[in-house]
Amino acid sequence: MLPFKLIYSDAYFLPIGEHVFPAEKYRRIRDRLISTGVADANDFLEPQPATDQDILLVHKPEYVQKLKTGTLSPREELEMEIPYSRDLAEAFWLAAGGSILAARQSLTDKVCISIGGGFHHAFPDHGEGFCMIHDVAVAIRRMQRDDKIRTAMTLDCDVHQGNGTAAIFAGTRTASALLPSSTSTVQQPEGAPRGKMRGAHAGDVFTISLHQHNNYPLHKPPSSIDVDLPDGTGDDDYLAWLDNAISSGLRQFEPDLLCYIAGADPYREDQLGGLNLTIEGLKKRDQLVFRVARARNLPVMVTYAGGYAQNVEDTVTIHSNTVIAAKEIFAASPSPKTVSS
Ligand SMILES: [Zn+2]
């Protein structure tokens, strides 16, 4: 049995027909975790859909109304790049409910993984890039509304920049959360080619995105920290940039919750990505994130976002490895911090 819960429902499946997004990946990840003995049925919790009230913590009433009544314009549907249906909208409400449950559960268990979610291209008033509802943002705002957390940090390792996340949490400085704006002064990792890190932050949610620069979205609204990686970045450089970005973020900001968006698409054989990470490198990425979270006693919730490997089995392996990495880090003997306190 795992020392944490996995959030999953068969209804996570996105009814989008033949599509580059492998909507069946969620069920396949669950099956893989069980068939390989990584998890058993008791490790899974079934989420409830988010309420409309939850969705409205992030999304505009006009947009939510269009989704509930099937009245998106053709242009809006085109921009979303997935075919609207009432069932599809329900799957996104469920993904948001899954992320809320994952956030809540991570505060108890220190880590929780939703085998779904991570729809980081959704904006308050429109969807794009296969994303209708920003489940992670909804979870953060719900946790804040319930006074479970005050601050959060998003760490987005999908190959595509988290434009929706950056837009939603831009300029959210509030009177109760005055934090200094700051500019990142992080050095380029030694030997790493041409990447660029830029940053500035003000607000109660600190956003970090590591992504391929020459890729969707064309317009990248500023995150608190953006790491623009050059085409073909491999394991070692990627891990060095990630390490720097997390360290820099945690020097500037103290989150109550870490929301890790563990996209599988930085993989070298991804159809929509141009980075060069191996399956092993992606597992090291996950281990690095979990190690930092555990050492700081920082609750971490995980969502899966994209993954478009030529062979869908590779995508399933990468996402399953995220669970294995969490198991390795969180099942190990207590961190030194816990022992000494
Ligand atoms: Zn992606």
Side-chain angles (χ1 to χ4, degrees):
M1 193 161 158
L2 292 170
F4 52 86
K5 292 296 180 192
L6 303 171
I7 312 299
Y8 172 81
S9 166
D10 286 340
Y12 272 177
F13 177 82
L14 302 176
I16 52 179
E18 275 289 304
H19 197 282
V20 68
F21 190 100
E24 75 284 8
K25 75 175 180 179
Y26 306 127
R27 185 188 51 75
R28 289 169 81 148
I29 295 161
R30 180 191 189 276
D31 291 351
R32 174 84 70 85
L33 291 170
I34 288 177
S35 69
T36 54
V38 173
D40 63 49
N42 296 322
D43 293 318
F44 292 84
L45 293 179
E46 175 100 17
Q48 295 296 311
T51 64
D52 293 351
Q53 207 181 7
D54 295 331
I55 301 295
L56 288 165
L57 294 170
V58 170
H59 293 281
K60 299 276 185 222
E62 303 75 33
Y63 178 53
V64 173
Q65 189 61 20
K66 285 180 193 174
L67 295 176
K68 289 179 72 73
T69 53
T71 49
L72 292 172
S73 70
R75 192 185 156 279
E76 286 169 320
E77 197 176 336
L78 203 66
E79 192 172 23
M80 208 157 63
E81 296 188 88
I82 41 176
Y84 174 86
S85 66
R86 183 64 222 179
D87 287 348
L88 182 62
E90 281 175 13
F92 276 97
W93 257 248
L94 184 62
S99 291
I100 291 170
L101 182 55
R104 189 180 297 136
Q105 198 69 29
S106 73
L107 298 179
T108 314
D109 297 342
K110 292 300 165 196
V111 60
C112 186
I113 299 174
S114 182
I115 311 293
F119 297 111
H120 58 159
H121 301 310
F123 285 72
D125 63 349
H126 73 278
E128 59 175 75
F130 319 154
C131 301
M132 183 187 284
I133 291 291
H134 200 309
D135 55 291
V136 177
V138 169
I140 290 170
R141 289 304 188 216
R142 174 67 194 270
M143 289 302 105
Q144 290 178 322
R145 201 206 64 185
D146 292 350
D147 283 328
K148 302 253 188 232
I149 62 168
R150 195 178 65 85
T151 59
M153 175 179 282
T154 61
L155 175 58
D156 191 338
C157 290
D158 190 274
V159 79
H160 305 102
Q161 196 242 8
N163 55 347
T165 321
I168 288 165
F169 296 117
T172 53
R173 183 195 292 268
T174 62
S176 61
L178 280 174
L179 294 157
S181 302
S182 48
T183 302
S184 167
T185 53
V186 173
Q187 300 299 310
Q188 169 136 339
E190 210 174 317
R194 292 162 297 151
K196 204 172 79 189
M197 181 159 4
R198 53 203 159 78
H201 176 75
D204 58 1
V205 178
F206 192 101
T207 56
I208 301 176
S209 179
L210 269 85
H211 48 264
Q212 183 189 4
H213 179 63
N214 294 321
N215 204 328
Y216 169 88
L218 187 61
H219 172 63
K220 298 175 176 64
S223 313
S224 308
I225 293 177
D226 280 297
V227 180
D228 298 319
L229 297 166
D231 299 356
T233 298
D235 292 346
D236 291 348
D237 291 338
Y238 186 95
L239 293 170
W241 280 111
L242 175 61
D243 196 17
N244 270 12
I246 299 175
S247 308
S248 172
L250 290 173
R251 268 198 306 273
Q252 299 175 49
F253 191 83
E254 211 171 300
D256 298 326
L257 172 68
L258 181 65
C259 303
Y260 174 39
I261 298 174
D265 48 14
Y267 178 45
R268 55 168 33 150
E269 285 172 38
D270 196 89
Q271 301 173 80
L272 301 184
L275 299 186
N276 202 27
L277 273 71
T278 64
I279 289 178
E280 195 48 40
L282 284 157
K283 188 177 176 196
K284 285 184 183 159
R285 172 196 72 168
D286 298 337
Q287 290 168 327
L288 196 164
V289 173
F290 293 136
R291 210 173 284 125
V292 169
R294 180 151 196 224
R296 291 176 171 257
N297 207 23
L298 170 60
V300 53
M301 64 162 281
V302 185
T303 52
Y304 275 165
Y308 316 93
Q310 297 281 358
N311 180 354
V312 70
E313 284 303 304
D314 287 348
T315 297
V316 172
T317 299
I318 293 163
H319 285 317
S320 299
N321 280 347
T322 303
V323 176
I324 295 169
K327 186 177 184 176
E328 288 167 357
I329 303 294
F330 286 92
S333 55
S335 59
K337 198 174 169 179
T338 312
V339 170
S340 63
S341 64

